[in-house]
Amino acid sequence: MEDNYQIFGIRAVIEAIQSGKTIDKVFIQKGLQGNLFQQLNTLLKQNEIGSSYVPVEKLNRLTKNNHQGVVANISPIEFYDLDTLVTQTLESDVTPLFLLLDQLSDVRNFGAIIRTAECCGVNGVIIQRKGSASVTADTVKTSAGAVFRIPICKVDHIKDAVFHMQASGIQVVAATEKTENVIYDVDLTTPTAIVMGSEDIGIAPSVLKAADQKAKLPLLGEIGSLNVSVACGVFLYETLRQRMA
């Protein structure tokens, strides 16, 4: 069965995939077995749909309906192809600005970031296929509808997007406290992709190592970090400040 941006029940999710619905993510009860589950699992792999195995309590929080061990999020948007988006942006008359989100998991942070990105003229937001926040009703609401106005791409790994940006002549700047460089000393007037990390562990070491530059925000208080959506906003508006100057 279907409820807004959510489908629950194994057979309903299977039918949704087979009918061509854009499934953002599937949550599966740990230990689930049976022929229908095997059929679902095969479809998920064939269609490269992200999934997570979770306790039944998580599914019960997601829906009060009889979920039969499976709940899927229907994406309210169609995702863009990264190569096509980058090519189109480079051929336009704008200086490219992309945002790479490395396994950001909170849907409200995701929505807030998308809203700021749209306001700052970001050309596209790139997320990882697995381990990233879904585009849910909460994302749509928090973004104030910006999810419908900015291209969003999915990649197997954020590092793939990093290499793609670099091969396209776009510098990759990682937001991290593990550097002495502050964002105000980085030249953001050239084609740029900014990488923001997850709420708990930040940017993955392999992604951090691949970035062209690392930059941090100065923090004068006793708390060691900012909310990721707030930090992202500062990075994007510093980019705008430099480009408008």
Side-chain angles (χ1 to χ4, degrees):
M1 295 184 69
E2 190 173 321
D3 180 19
N4 294 326
Y5 298 131
Q6 196 177 79
I7 306 173
F8 48 89
I10 302 177
R11 192 174 296 279
V13 175
I14 288 173
E15 291 175 356
I17 296 171
Q18 291 176 332
S19 68
K21 281 188 178 291
T22 303
I23 307 296
D24 198 17
K25 189 170 185 179
V26 179
F27 297 92
I28 303 170
Q29 184 178 327
K30 289 181 179 178
L32 196 64
Q33 296 179 348
N35 292 334
L36 269 182
F37 165 69
Q38 293 301 331
Q39 185 180 345
L40 172 63
N41 199 37
T42 299
L43 282 172
L44 293 177
K45 291 178 180 178
Q46 289 175 344
N47 292 275
E48 298 184 330
I49 298 171
S51 62
S52 293
Y53 289 89
V54 298
V56 66
E57 291 80 10
K58 166 79 172 179
L59 298 177
N60 293 339
R61 288 195 298 271
L62 289 173
T63 179
K64 296 179 181 179
N65 297 289
N66 180 19
H67 51 68
Q68 300 174 326
V70 176
V71 175
N73 289 333
I74 311 171
S75 175
I77 64 169
E78 293 293 330
F79 293 97
Y80 284 67
D81 174 72
L82 179 61
D83 184 53
T84 302
L85 178 62
V86 171
T87 300
Q88 290 176 345
T89 304
L90 289 171
E91 291 175 349
S92 68
D93 59 354
V94 301
T95 303
L97 176 58
F98 291 97
L99 191 57
L100 279 55
L101 305 180
D102 187 18
Q103 299 191 71
L104 191 84
S105 59
D106 186 277
V107 294
R108 292 180 178 83
N109 277 337
F110 188 26
I113 285 172
I114 292 171
R115 182 176 184 172
T116 304
E118 199 278 334
C119 289
C120 291
V122 169
N123 300 112
V125 177
I126 294 87
I127 60 175
Q128 194 161 286
R129 203 176 304 280
K130 293 185 178 180
S132 296
S134 302
V135 181
T136 66
D138 280 340
T139 313
V140 173
K141 183 178 180 180
T142 312
S143 77
V147 293
F148 303 117
R149 295 179 173 273
I150 187 169
I152 300 176
C153 305
K154 280 188 174 185
V155 292
D156 289 333
H157 196 286
I158 287 297
K159 193 161 61 173
D160 298 335
V162 169
F163 293 149
H164 192 108
M165 294 293 169
Q166 291 168 332
S168 302
I170 300 170
Q171 71 163 343
V172 177
V173 179
T176 175
E177 74 283 356
K178 300 174 183 177
T179 181
E180 294 303 313
N181 299 325
V182 293
I183 188 62
Y184 309 119
D185 295 330
V186 177
D187 182 6
L188 301 169
T189 61
T190 63
T192 300
I194 296 171
V195 188
M196 304 299 301
S198 65
E199 294 88 350
D200 49 355
I201 61 173
I203 298 172
S206 62
V207 176
L208 204 57
K209 184 178 180 180
D212 297 305
Q213 298 199 63
K214 304 176 185 66
K216 67 178 180 180
L217 294 174
L219 298 172
L220 304 183
E222 295 182 6
I223 296 176
S225 64
L226 292 169
N227 172 277
V228 63
S229 67
V230 174
C232 185
V234 178
F235 268 73
L236 290 177
Y237 270 97
E238 171 58 16
T239 306
L240 273 193
R241 185 193 70 79
Q242 290 188 24
R243 294 184 177 189
M244 293 176 71

